[in-house]
Amino acid sequence: MSRARRQILGAFFGAIVLFLFYLHYHAKNDQFLLSRPASSPQSEAQQDKNQASNGVSPKQSVWRDLPLRYPVTDMQKVPVKSRNFPRIQTADQESPYLRTEVQRKRQSAVKESFQRCWRSYRSLAWGADGLTPISGLPTNDRGGWGARLLDSLDTLWIMEMYEEFEEAVTAIMEINFDVTSSPEVNTHDLNIRLLGGLLAAYDLSDDPRLMVKCVELGDMLYAAFDTPNRMPIIHWNLHKASRREEQLAEENVLAAELGSFSLEFTRLSQITGDPKYFDAAQRVMDSFDLRQRSTKLPGLWPEYMNAREQLFEGDEYTLGAAGNSFYKTLPQAYALTGGQMPINRRMYESLTLATAGHNLFRPMNPNEEDMLLLGTVRVFMTQNGKSRTHLQSQVHYQSCFAGGLFALGGALFNIPAHKRIAHKLVDGCIWAHKTMSHGIMPKVFDAVPCASQVHCPWNEWHWKQEAWKKANSLKPELASDFNIDTFIKDHHLPKGFIDIPDTVSELRPELIESIFVLYRITGREDLLDEAWRIFQSFNNASATNYGNAAIVDVTFEGGNPILSDSVDTFWMSETLRYFYLMFGPCDLVSLDDFVFNAAGHPLRRP
Ligand SMILES: *[C@@H]1O[C@H](CO)[C@@H](O)[C@H](O)[C@H]1NC(C)=O
C-alpha cells in the first residue's frame, strides 16, 4: 500500500471515529435517540388544537415539535362531500358456488399458512421488522420499529385473530418513532406499509390507540416534505432531518415512489381533521398532473425523475418494473376523496390511453388465447430528430397489477372497454403462471408479441426464431453447434417464452390483487379456481420451517426448489391477505367501502 493511500485511509477511519463520537454525544438514553429541537410556541398551539379535536393526547415528540423551514401558507382542504358512486362490486353475490364448503376450506388453508408465519415471527423475532424463513433470525431493515407488526395488523383483524391483534397493538403502543436502529429509511416504503397498515387497522377496528400512532408516524413522514419545493425526500436520513439540516428533494428518484403518498395522507387528514397531510401529498399530485402531457411519451411519466427541479425527462416508460404504486393510486384517490378531485380521473384517463396505445401487447401462444401483457416502452430519437417508440416485450411480475387497475377504473368511471382489457391482462398473467412447469411465473420473462391484437396464430417456427435471436443478442458468438431446441430445453422455456432473465419468485402480490379486484367487480367464477391453483403452487414450493421463502429458480426440476433465506414482508401482509379475501364472502372488505393502498392495506372511503 502506498504511503498516500495509507494516509487517506487513516484520515477516513479518523473521520469515522469522530462521527461515532458525534453520534454518541448526541444520543441521550439510547444510542440512536434522534435530536430534539427546542419546541416552538406554534407547535404547542398545534398540540392543543389536536388534543381538543381528537380527544387523544400526543406526547412530546421530535417530529411533532420540529419547526418547518419551508412552511406552507395556502393549505388545500380535504374535500368533505362525496358524490354518489355506482356500485362497483357485482350485484350477483348469491351464486351458490361462492358459498360452498370448497371456498371456506380454501380460505382456512390460506389462514393456516399465515398463522404458521405469524407463530414463527412471534416466537423468534417479536418486535423486529421481519424474520428470515430458513435460519429463523430477526431482521431490521425498515427503521427497526417492527414493520412486520404494523404491516400485518389489519390482516390479523381481517382473519379474526383478535387475541393476536390485541397483543400486537400493545406492542405497537410501545414503539417510539424518536428512536431508530437504522436511520436510513425509504419514506415511500414506510408510508405505504407502516402508515398504511396502521390506518387500515384503525379503520377496521376503530381502536383510538392506533390513531395516536398514525399521527406520530404521519408527523415523522411529514418532515420529509420540508424541502424548498415541498417535494418529499424518499431516501431519507432521520438523524439529519431531526437536526433540521437543510433538505433538498432528490435529483434522481423513482417517480412512482414520489407519487404514492396521496391515499395515506388523505386518509390521515380525514381522520384527524388536520389538512396538512393532504395538502402535502396533493402538491406532488399537482406537479405530476402539470407535466403528464409534456413527457417524451405523453400520458406516462418516465420511470425516474428529477424531484429537485420537478423534471420528467427519462426515456423508459413502464407501469411495471420498479414502481407501480403511483398508477394504482389514481382511481383509488378519486374514490377516497369522494369524487371531488377531478385531477385523479384526468390523470387516470390519460395514463390508460397512453398505456393501451403503447405498452399492451398480445403474446403469441400455442392455444391462441386472446390475452394481453404489459411491456416497457423506450423512446428514442431518429437521425432526423423525430421521436420513435420501441416496445420491449419483457414482462415483470409487478406489471400484473395492471389488470386490477383497468378493472377498477373501468368500474368507477364506467368505461366498458377498460373492463375488457382487465380480463385480458389478468388472463395473460395467469397464463404465465400456468405455462411454467411448477405453475409459478418468474420475476421477469420475455414473450413474443403478435403483430396484430386481432389475429394471432401460433407459429412454432417463428417462436423458435425469436428465441434464437434473443439468445444471439445476449451472447453474440453462439457456438457453431448451437441448437435452438436444446437451448429451449436447457433453459426450460415454455412455448411462447423466449427468455427468462430472472427466474426468482418473490411470492409477489400483484396478480392475486388483480384477480381479487376483477373477481369482486365481475363475479367471474373461474378466477376462484385459478387463484387457488396459484396459492397452492406458491405455498407448496416455498414452505420452510419458519414460514415461506422466496424461490430462487422457478424452473426447478423435481420436487425441491432452491429457496433463499429471505422473504419480503408483502408475502404475509399482501399476498396472503388477498388470497384470504378472495375466498371469503364478497362483503368482507368490500370495494364499495374501501380502497386498497399500494401495499394492499384497505382504507375506508368516507
Ligand atoms: C400442493 O400440495 C397439495 C398437498 O400435498 C396437493 O394436493 C396439491 O396438488 C399441490 N398443488 C400444487 C399446485 O402443487
Side-chain angles (χ1 to χ4, degrees), residues 300-319:
L300 292 175
W301 299 269
E303 214 167 337
Y304 283 89
M305 69 171 291
N306 176 341
R308 194 171 301 170
E309 313 287 337
Q310 302 186 56
L311 297 175
F312 294 81
E313 290 179 329
D315 300 323
E316 296 244 3
Y317 293 79
T318 177
L319 282 72

PDB file of all heavy atoms in Angstrom, residues 300-319:
ATOM      1  N   LEU A 300     -47.763   9.211 -19.916  1.00  0.00           N
ATOM      2  CA  LEU A 300     -46.997   8.415 -18.954  1.00  0.00           C
ATOM      3  C   LEU A 300     -45.858   9.243 -18.377  1.00  0.00           C
ATOM      4  O   LEU A 300     -45.349  10.148 -19.040  1.00  0.00           O
ATOM      5  CB  LEU A 300     -46.421   7.170 -19.618  1.00  0.00           C
ATOM      6  CG  LEU A 300     -47.409   6.095 -20.059  1.00  0.00           C
ATOM      7  CD1 LEU A 300     -46.675   4.989 -20.795  1.00  0.00           C
ATOM      8  CD2 LEU A 300     -48.155   5.527 -18.868  1.00  0.00           C
ATOM      9  N   TRP A 301     -45.472   8.890 -17.167  1.00  0.00           N
ATOM     10  CA  TRP A 301     -44.311   9.512 -16.556  1.00  0.00           C
ATOM     11  C   TRP A 301     -43.150   8.542 -16.662  1.00  0.00           C
ATOM     12  O   TRP A 301     -43.338   7.332 -16.527  1.00  0.00           O
ATOM     13  CB  TRP A 301     -44.575   9.817 -15.070  1.00  0.00           C
ATOM     14  CG  TRP A 301     -45.701  10.760 -14.844  1.00  0.00           C
ATOM     15  CD1 TRP A 301     -45.634  12.120 -14.743  1.00  0.00           C
ATOM     16  CD2 TRP A 301     -47.097  10.430 -14.689  1.00  0.00           C
ATOM     17  NE1 TRP A 301     -46.885  12.648 -14.540  1.00  0.00           N
ATOM     18  CE2 TRP A 301     -47.800  11.640 -14.502  1.00  0.00           C
ATOM     19  CE3 TRP A 301     -47.822   9.246 -14.689  1.00  0.00           C
ATOM     20  CZ2 TRP A 301     -49.174  11.698 -14.320  1.00  0.00           C
ATOM     21  CZ3 TRP A 301     -49.184   9.291 -14.516  1.00  0.00           C
ATOM     22  CH2 TRP A 301     -49.859  10.506 -14.330  1.00  0.00           C
ATOM     23  N   PRO A 302     -41.929   9.057 -16.919  1.00  0.00           N
ATOM     24  CA  PRO A 302     -40.793   8.147 -17.020  1.00  0.00           C
ATOM     25  C   PRO A 302     -40.524   7.475 -15.672  1.00  0.00           C
ATOM     26  O   PRO A 302     -41.001   7.933 -14.632  1.00  0.00           O
ATOM     27  CB  PRO A 302     -39.636   9.071 -17.410  1.00  0.00           C
ATOM     28  CG  PRO A 302     -40.050  10.423 -16.947  1.00  0.00           C
ATOM     29  CD  PRO A 302     -41.529  10.461 -17.046  1.00  0.00           C
ATOM     30  N   GLU A 303     -39.768   6.394 -15.742  1.00  0.00           N
ATOM     31  CA  GLU A 303     -39.514   5.639 -14.532  1.00  0.00           C
ATOM     32  C   GLU A 303     -38.790   6.488 -13.473  1.00  0.00           C
ATOM     33  O   GLU A 303     -39.142   6.450 -12.304  1.00  0.00           O
ATOM     34  CB  GLU A 303     -38.664   4.423 -14.905  1.00  0.00           C
ATOM     35  CG  GLU A 303     -38.975   3.224 -14.081  1.00  0.00           C
ATOM     36  CD  GLU A 303     -38.353   1.966 -14.666  1.00  0.00           C
ATOM     37  OE1 GLU A 303     -38.056   1.929 -15.877  1.00  0.00           O
ATOM     38  OE2 GLU A 303     -38.182   1.019 -13.894  1.00  0.00           O
ATOM     39  N   TYR A 304     -37.806   7.253 -13.910  1.00  0.00           N
ATOM     40  CA  TYR A 304     -37.046   8.089 -12.975  1.00  0.00           C
ATOM     41  C   TYR A 304     -37.298   9.566 -13.253  1.00  0.00           C
ATOM     42  O   TYR A 304     -37.521   9.958 -14.394  1.00  0.00           O
ATOM     43  CB  TYR A 304     -35.545   7.796 -13.079  1.00  0.00           C
ATOM     44  CG  TYR A 304     -35.185   6.517 -12.382  1.00  0.00           C
ATOM     45  CD1 TYR A 304     -35.228   5.307 -13.061  1.00  0.00           C
ATOM     46  CD2 TYR A 304     -34.853   6.516 -11.036  1.00  0.00           C
ATOM     47  CE1 TYR A 304     -34.922   4.120 -12.414  1.00  0.00           C
ATOM     48  CE2 TYR A 304     -34.553   5.334 -10.380  1.00  0.00           C
ATOM     49  CZ  TYR A 304     -34.588   4.139 -11.065  1.00  0.00           C
ATOM     50  OH  TYR A 304     -34.302   2.970 -10.425  1.00  0.00           O
ATOM     51  N   MET A 305     -37.262  10.368 -12.207  1.00  0.00           N
ATOM     52  CA  MET A 305     -37.479  11.800 -12.387  1.00  0.00           C
ATOM     53  C   MET A 305     -36.490  12.585 -11.530  1.00  0.00           C
ATOM     54  O   MET A 305     -35.846  12.054 -10.637  1.00  0.00           O
ATOM     55  CB  MET A 305     -38.899  12.175 -11.968  1.00  0.00           C
ATOM     56  CG  MET A 305     -39.125  12.061 -10.476  1.00  0.00           C
ATOM     57  SD  MET A 305     -40.702  12.730  -9.918  1.00  0.00           S
ATOM     58  CE  MET A 305     -40.495  14.489 -10.159  1.00  0.00           C
ATOM     59  N   ASN A 306     -36.405  13.881 -11.816  1.00  0.00           N
ATOM     60  CA  ASN A 306     -35.621  14.805 -11.012  1.00  0.00           C
ATOM     61  C   ASN A 306     -36.604  15.587 -10.152  1.00  0.00           C
ATOM     62  O   ASN A 306     -37.299  16.478 -10.632  1.00  0.00           O
ATOM     63  CB  ASN A 306     -34.827  15.727 -11.945  1.00  0.00           C
ATOM     64  CG  ASN A 306     -34.058  16.789 -11.193  1.00  0.00           C
ATOM     65  OD1 ASN A 306     -34.347  17.091 -10.029  1.00  0.00           O
ATOM     66  ND2 ASN A 306     -33.073  17.367 -11.868  1.00  0.00           N
ATOM     67  N   ALA A 307     -36.670  15.236  -8.878  1.00  0.00           N
ATOM     68  CA  ALA A 307     -37.672  15.859  -7.998  1.00  0.00           C
ATOM     69  C   ALA A 307     -37.254  17.271  -7.594  1.00  0.00           C
ATOM     70  O   ALA A 307     -38.087  18.118  -7.314  1.00  0.00           O
ATOM     71  CB  ALA A 307     -37.892  14.996  -6.760  1.00  0.00           C
ATOM     72  N   ARG A 308     -35.942  17.515  -7.595  1.00  0.00           N
ATOM     73  CA  ARG A 308     -35.469  18.838  -7.169  1.00  0.00           C
ATOM     74  C   ARG A 308     -35.914  19.905  -8.158  1.00  0.00           C
ATOM     75  O   ARG A 308     -36.352  20.985  -7.778  1.00  0.00           O
ATOM     76  CB  ARG A 308     -33.939  18.827  -7.036  1.00  0.00           C
ATOM     77  CG  ARG A 308     -33.396  20.023  -6.302  1.00  0.00           C
ATOM     78  CD  ARG A 308     -31.930  19.865  -5.992  1.00  0.00           C
ATOM     79  NE  ARG A 308     -31.673  18.680  -5.185  1.00  0.00           N
ATOM     80  CZ  ARG A 308     -30.460  18.197  -4.936  1.00  0.00           C
ATOM     81  NH1 ARG A 308     -29.400  18.801  -5.431  1.00  0.00           N
ATOM     82  NH2 ARG A 308     -30.299  17.120  -4.199  1.00  0.00           N
ATOM     83  N   GLU A 309     -35.791  19.580  -9.467  1.00  0.00           N
ATOM     84  CA  GLU A 309     -36.215  20.538 -10.494  1.00  0.00           C
ATOM     85  C   GLU A 309     -37.619  20.223 -11.005  1.00  0.00           C
ATOM     86  O   GLU A 309     -38.113  20.889 -11.910  1.00  0.00           O
ATOM     87  CB  GLU A 309     -35.245  20.491 -11.691  1.00  0.00           C
ATOM     88  CG  GLU A 309     -33.775  20.517 -11.343  1.00  0.00           C
ATOM     89  CD  GLU A 309     -33.332  21.878 -10.872  1.00  0.00           C
ATOM     90  OE1 GLU A 309     -33.996  22.873 -11.222  1.00  0.00           O
ATOM     91  OE2 GLU A 309     -32.325  21.942 -10.132  1.00  0.00           O
ATOM     92  N   GLN A 310     -38.215  19.186 -10.516  1.00  0.00           N
ATOM     93  CA  GLN A 310     -39.513  18.697 -10.996  1.00  0.00           C
ATOM     94  C   GLN A 310     -39.491  18.465 -12.506  1.00  0.00           C
ATOM     95  O   GLN A 310     -40.342  18.952 -13.242  1.00  0.00           O
ATOM     96  CB  GLN A 310     -40.636  19.645 -10.585  1.00  0.00           C
ATOM     97  CG  GLN A 310     -40.681  19.806  -9.062  1.00  0.00           C
ATOM     98  CD  GLN A 310     -41.861  20.614  -8.594  1.00  0.00           C
ATOM     99  OE1 GLN A 310     -42.996  20.293  -8.900  1.00  0.00           O
ATOM    100  NE2 GLN A 310     -41.588  21.682  -7.857  1.00  0.00           N
ATOM    101  N   LEU A 311     -38.484  17.687 -12.949  1.00  0.00           N
ATOM    102  CA  LEU A 311     -38.344  17.368 -14.363  1.00  0.00           C
ATOM    103  C   LEU A 311     -38.594  15.888 -14.597  1.00  0.00           C
ATOM    104  O   LEU A 311     -38.145  15.044 -13.817  1.00  0.00           O
ATOM    105  CB  LEU A 311     -36.920  17.707 -14.845  1.00  0.00           C
ATOM    106  CG  LEU A 311     -36.516  19.171 -14.785  1.00  0.00           C
ATOM    107  CD1 LEU A 311     -35.042  19.302 -15.176  1.00  0.00           C
ATOM    108  CD2 LEU A 311     -37.385  20.018 -15.701  1.00  0.00           C
ATOM    109  N   PHE A 312     -39.316  15.612 -15.673  1.00  0.00           N
ATOM    110  CA  PHE A 312     -39.591  14.218 -16.033  1.00  0.00           C
ATOM    111  C   PHE A 312     -38.982  13.980 -17.414  1.00  0.00           C
ATOM    112  O   PHE A 312     -39.647  14.138 -18.418  1.00  0.00           O
ATOM    113  CB  PHE A 312     -41.095  13.976 -16.106  1.00  0.00           C
ATOM    114  CG  PHE A 312     -41.815  14.108 -14.785  1.00  0.00           C
ATOM    115  CD1 PHE A 312     -42.171  15.349 -14.272  1.00  0.00           C
ATOM    116  CD2 PHE A 312     -42.160  12.966 -14.067  1.00  0.00           C
ATOM    117  CE1 PHE A 312     -42.851  15.455 -13.065  1.00  0.00           C
ATOM    118  CE2 PHE A 312     -42.838  13.066 -12.861  1.00  0.00           C
ATOM    119  CZ  PHE A 312     -43.175  14.318 -12.361  1.00  0.00           C
ATOM    120  N   GLU A 313     -37.685  13.641 -17.474  1.00  0.00           N
ATOM    121  CA  GLU A 313     -37.030  13.620 -18.778  1.00  0.00           C
ATOM    122  C   GLU A 313     -36.592  12.256 -19.265  1.00  0.00           C
ATOM    123  O   GLU A 313     -35.967  12.142 -20.306  1.00  0.00           O
ATOM    124  CB  GLU A 313     -35.811  14.555 -18.747  1.00  0.00           C
ATOM    125  CG  GLU A 313     -36.237  16.005 -18.687  1.00  0.00           C
ATOM    126  CD  GLU A 313     -35.064  16.956 -18.637  1.00  0.00           C
ATOM    127  OE1 GLU A 313     -34.014  16.568 -18.082  1.00  0.00           O
ATOM    128  OE2 GLU A 313     -35.213  18.067 -19.151  1.00  0.00           O
ATOM    129  N   GLY A 314     -36.921  11.196 -18.529  1.00  0.00           N
ATOM    130  CA  GLY A 314     -36.403   9.870 -18.874  1.00  0.00           C
ATOM    131  C   GLY A 314     -36.926   9.335 -20.195  1.00  0.00           C
ATOM    132  O   GLY A 314     -37.865   9.879 -20.791  1.00  0.00           O
ATOM    133  N   ASP A 315     -36.302   8.218 -20.643  1.00  0.00           N
ATOM    134  CA  ASP A 315     -36.682   7.593 -21.911  1.00  0.00           C
ATOM    135  C   ASP A 315     -37.466   6.294 -21.722  1.00  0.00           C
ATOM    136  O   ASP A 315     -37.986   5.746 -22.676  1.00  0.00           O
ATOM    137  CB  ASP A 315     -35.426   7.246 -22.723  1.00  0.00           C
ATOM    138  CG  ASP A 315     -34.611   8.484 -23.041  1.00  0.00           C
ATOM    139  OD1 ASP A 315     -35.241   9.532 -23.302  1.00  0.00           O
ATOM    140  OD2 ASP A 315     -33.372   8.414 -23.006  1.00  0.00           O
ATOM    141  N   GLU A 316     -37.508   5.767 -20.491  1.00  0.00           N
ATOM    142  CA  GLU A 316     -38.138   4.469 -20.253  1.00  0.00           C
ATOM    143  C   GLU A 316     -39.511   4.652 -19.625  1.00  0.00           C
ATOM    144  O   GLU A 316     -39.658   5.342 -18.633  1.00  0.00           O
ATOM    145  CB  GLU A 316     -37.284   3.638 -19.291  1.00  0.00           C
ATOM    146  CG  GLU A 316     -35.936   3.288 -19.829  1.00  0.00           C
ATOM    147  CD  GLU A 316     -35.765   1.782 -20.018  1.00  0.00           C
ATOM    148  OE1 GLU A 316     -36.746   1.045 -19.777  1.00  0.00           O
ATOM    149  OE2 GLU A 316     -34.665   1.371 -20.405  1.00  0.00           O
ATOM    150  N   TYR A 317     -40.514   4.006 -20.245  1.00  0.00           N
ATOM    151  CA  TYR A 317     -41.877   4.187 -19.767  1.00  0.00           C
ATOM    152  C   TYR A 317     -42.536   2.839 -19.520  1.00  0.00           C
ATOM    153  O   TYR A 317     -42.737   2.058 -20.446  1.00  0.00           O
ATOM    154  CB  TYR A 317     -42.688   4.989 -20.784  1.00  0.00           C
ATOM    155  CG  TYR A 317     -42.186   6.408 -20.876  1.00  0.00           C
ATOM    156  CD1 TYR A 317     -41.053   6.715 -21.615  1.00  0.00           C
ATOM    157  CD2 TYR A 317     -42.805   7.426 -20.160  1.00  0.00           C
ATOM    158  CE1 TYR A 317     -40.554   8.000 -21.666  1.00  0.00           C
ATOM    159  CE2 TYR A 317     -42.320   8.717 -20.200  1.00  0.00           C
ATOM    160  CZ  TYR A 317     -41.193   9.001 -20.959  1.00  0.00           C
ATOM    161  OH  TYR A 317     -40.698  10.278 -20.976  1.00  0.00           O
ATOM    162  N   THR A 318     -42.825   2.566 -18.276  1.00  0.00           N
ATOM    163  CA  THR A 318     -43.489   1.307 -17.951  1.00  0.00           C
ATOM    164  C   THR A 318     -44.370   1.489 -16.725  1.00  0.00           C
ATOM    165  O   THR A 318     -44.106   2.347 -15.888  1.00  0.00           O
ATOM    166  CB  THR A 318     -42.465   0.200 -17.684  1.00  0.00           C
ATOM    167  OG1 THR A 318     -43.172  -0.974 -17.298  1.00  0.00           O
ATOM    168  CG2 THR A 318     -41.505   0.576 -16.591  1.00  0.00           C
ATOM    169  N   LEU A 319     -45.400   0.698 -16.640  1.00  0.00           N
ATOM    170  CA  LEU A 319     -46.191   0.679 -15.417  1.00  0.00           C
ATOM    171  C   LEU A 319     -45.709  -0.446 -14.526  1.00  0.00           C
ATOM    172  O   LEU A 319     -46.165  -0.619 -13.423  1.00  0.00           O
ATOM    173  CB  LEU A 319     -47.679   0.440 -15.725  1.00  0.00           C
ATOM    174  CG  LEU A 319     -48.479   1.613 -16.231  1.00  0.00           C
ATOM    175  CD1 LEU A 319     -48.106   1.957 -17.647  1.00  0.00           C
ATOM    176  CD2 LEU A 319     -49.963   1.307 -16.155  1.00  0.00           C
TER     177      LEU A 319
END
